[in-house]
């Protein structure tokens, strides 16, 4: 790193270290350094939105704790956000509030779930939210700090700390931050937020609850059926089958999206194809002990289990051909990443099954 152009600020390094130790000692961080928050800095964040600072954005009733605008601003500042990012953070918390799972304790799950945000519209360019390469990686302040603002809020407001209220067995890297923009400019289809009923000029945040991101190496073909079957196989891997049905967010690189579009496929065509082919045989499910359901939770387990009951497919004309998606809308599609290689991803998400017919947990970003 070149040092000649770096101007060191006139601060006491000892005081900086002491401030960081103070935050760490109080468990106010995610393990990484944070930005100390003063009232003047907090005021810049609150000035970026036209909201009462005591307004509740999201609550977890069983914890009896609320995320207010002021608390959201404190954690956004701690995370290293710029004040101009704060309207997106507020929209993110409101989108999370619409999502049916977190309020029921999903973020405390042993599965290791985490919030995942997709940003559409002008805010992507205005705030330099990355949508065009290394979308899950480092290097973009907006992506990193907006997602981190949510994680720090989970820790500091809701007490979701590892080994305490957060009971994740292994967790996943998105527990630090998980924010992507949709690469609308290189998508052959309408943007995700327009598909959900928003105007193209709206900046929108959509919230998901995810378990993992699975990369799909598909450089070998541009045949739409072959590409789609690669996605199907990844969605239907038995290790992903927790409940009777599963759900997925397909994050397609522009190269793959264009291949589908060039073949005349719409998003709905791709969803329908995946839905129709997302099946496993009864024997394949039995081999891994997932050929029945729990009476209490409807999680998959073995027929021999004392709590077992038949799954829905058992009562059909083809009981040995088990559908793993409840509806085509169990598969959602966005376009993001670079067009330099055929590598897309399947994001394993939690949705209601059957999915809700109204739009997903999406909120328009509002600024002053």
């Amino acid at each position: 790193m070149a040092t000649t152009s770096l101007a060191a600020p006139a601060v006491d390094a000892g005081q900086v270290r002491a401030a960081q130790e103070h935050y760490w000692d109080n468990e106010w961080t995610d393990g990484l350094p944070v930005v100390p928050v003063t009232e003047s800095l907090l005021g810049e964040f609150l000035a970026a939105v036209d909201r009462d600072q005591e307004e509740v954005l999201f609550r977890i009733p069983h914890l009896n704790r609320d995320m207010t605008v002021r608390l959201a601003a404190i954690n956004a500042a701690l995370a290293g956000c710029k004040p101009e990012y704060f309207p997106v953070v507020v929209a993110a918390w409101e989108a999370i509030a619409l999502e049916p799972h977190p309020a029921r304790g999903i973020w405390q799950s042993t599965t290791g779930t985490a919030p995942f945000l997709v940003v559409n519209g002008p805010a992507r360019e205005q705030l330099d939210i990355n949508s065009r390469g290394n979308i899950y990686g480092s290097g973009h302040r907006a992506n990193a700090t907006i997602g981190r603002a949510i994680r720090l809020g989970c820790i500091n407001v809701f007490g979701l700390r590892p080994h305490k209220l957060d009971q994740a067995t292994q967790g996943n890297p998105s527990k630090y931050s998980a924010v992507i923009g949709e690469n609308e400019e290189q998508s052959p289809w309408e943007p995700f937020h327009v598909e959900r009923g928003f105007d193209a000029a709206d900046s929108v945040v959509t919230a998901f609850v995810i378990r993992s991101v699975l990369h799909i190496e598909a450089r070998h073909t541009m045949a739409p059926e072959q590409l789609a079957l690669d996605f199907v196989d990844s969605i239907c891997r038995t290790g992903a089958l927790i409940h009777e049905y599963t759900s997925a967010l397909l994050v397609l690189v522009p190269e793959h999206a264009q291949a589908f579009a060039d073949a005349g496929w719409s998003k709905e065509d791709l969803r329908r194809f995946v839905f129709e082919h997302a099946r496993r045989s009864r024997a394949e499910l039995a081999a891994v002990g997932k050929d029945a359901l729990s009476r209490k939770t409807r999680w998959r387990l073995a027929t021999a289990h004392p709590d077992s009951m038949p799954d829905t497919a058992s009562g059909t004309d083809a009981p040995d051909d088990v559908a793993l998606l409840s509806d085509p809308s169990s598969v959602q599609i966005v376009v993001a990443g670079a067009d330099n290689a055929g590598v897309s991803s399947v994001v394993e998400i939690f949705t209601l099954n059957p999915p809700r017919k109204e739009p997903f947990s999406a909120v328009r970003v509002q600024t002053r």
Side-chain angles (χ1 to χ4, degrees):
M1 175 185 293
T3 59
T4 55
S5 62
L6 296 179
V11 297
D12 187 317
Q15 289 182 335
V16 173
R17 289 196 297 270
Q20 292 301 326
E21 294 298 334
H22 177 70
Y23 280 92
W24 277 316
D25 290 345
N26 283 279
E27 298 184 314
W28 293 337
T29 88
D30 52 6
L32 297 172
V34 294
V35 176
V37 182
T38 62
E39 282 294 333
S40 60
L41 176 59
L42 180 61
E44 294 182 43
F45 281 78
L46 294 174
V49 295
D50 187 18
R51 310 293 283 266
D52 187 314
Q53 63 178 308
E54 297 306 322
E55 179 185 351
V56 174
L57 300 173
F58 172 59
R59 61 169 40 102
I60 299 182
H62 71 274
L63 296 179
N64 195 29
R65 299 180 185 185
D66 297 337
M67 174 60 68
T68 64
V69 171
R70 180 181 177 85
L71 291 173
I74 291 172
N75 285 281
L78 283 171
C81 288
K82 293 181 178 181
E84 54 262 41
Y85 299 173
F86 189 52
V88 174
V89 174
V90 169
W93 280 117
E94 292 182 311
I96 288 166
L98 295 176
E99 219 289 332
H101 293 93
R104 300 204 303 265
I106 193 68
W107 290 344
Q108 297 174 255
S109 170
T110 55
T111 306
T113 51
F116 181 91
L117 306 175
V118 177
V119 181
N120 281 97
R124 299 166 307 119
E125 297 298 321
Q126 294 165 357
L127 304 181
D128 192 26
I129 294 173
N130 183 27
S131 67
R132 298 179 184 175
N134 196 36
I135 54 173
Y136 302 123
S138 59
H140 282 75
R141 181 176 179 179
N143 299 62
T145 60
I146 290 170
R148 192 186 184 205
I150 304 303
R151 172 52 50 193
L152 289 176
C154 290
I155 293 171
N156 295 325
V157 176
F158 298 112
L160 302 182
R161 297 180 179 86
H163 304 176
K164 295 182 179 179
L165 292 182
D166 185 340
Q167 292 295 304
T169 303
Q170 292 186 323
N172 72 82
S174 62
K175 277 182 169 285
Y176 276 103
S177 179
V179 177
I180 68 171
E182 181 166 27
N183 189 345
E184 299 176 19
E185 291 73 19
Q186 292 186 285
S187 172
W189 300 311
E190 65 180 1
F192 185 68
H193 68 309
V194 174
E195 182 186 359
R196 308 316 302 174
F198 292 92
D199 188 83
D202 291 335
S203 292
V204 175
V205 180
T206 304
F208 297 92
V209 175
I210 73 166
R211 289 189 296 145
S212 67
V213 175
L214 185 64
H215 284 83
I216 312 302
E217 294 277 351
R219 310 167 191 246
H220 61 294
T221 180
M222 288 291 104
E225 293 83 3
Q226 292 176 343
L227 284 175
L229 287 174
D230 246 0
F231 299 133
V232 169
D233 182 68
S234 300
I235 292 169
C236 294
R237 63 186 183 87
T238 58
L241 305 181
I242 299 179
H243 300 96
E244 179 172 21
Y245 300 111
T246 190
S247 304
L249 171 67
L250 298 186
V251 180
L252 303 183
V253 290
E255 181 181 352
H256 284 158
Q258 193 63 54
F260 286 116
D262 288 346
W265 288 37
S266 65
K267 283 187 182 180
E268 187 56 36
D269 292 330
L270 177 55
R271 266 194 290 267
R272 176 66 59 179
F273 183 96
V274 172
F275 169 69
E276 291 174 351
H277 289 80
R279 318 183 82 82
R280 297 297 291 259
S281 71
R282 182 71 60 190
E284 289 173 320
L285 295 177
V288 294
K290 292 184 175 180
D291 53 320
L293 302 177
S294 164
R295 297 179 188 277
K296 297 176 182 178
T297 65
R298 298 188 74 83
W299 283 42
R300 286 204 168 272
L301 43 66
T303 300
H305 193 283
D307 183 43
S308 72
M309 60 176 273
D311 60 23
T312 303
S314 298
T316 68
D317 294 335
D320 296 326
D321 182 30
V322 183
L324 301 180
L325 298 173
S326 65
D327 189 88
S329 61
S330 295
V331 177
Q332 294 300 313
I333 302 164
V334 301
V335 177
D339 59 355
N340 56 358
V343 182
S344 291
S345 55
V346 170
V347 180
E348 295 179 321
I349 60 174
F350 281 88
T351 59
L352 298 178
N353 280 296
R356 297 181 302 185
K357 295 303 180 184
E358 65 267 24
F360 271 66
S361 308
V363 170
R364 185 167 62 86
V365 177
Q366 299 181 10
T367 57
R368 280 191 177 277

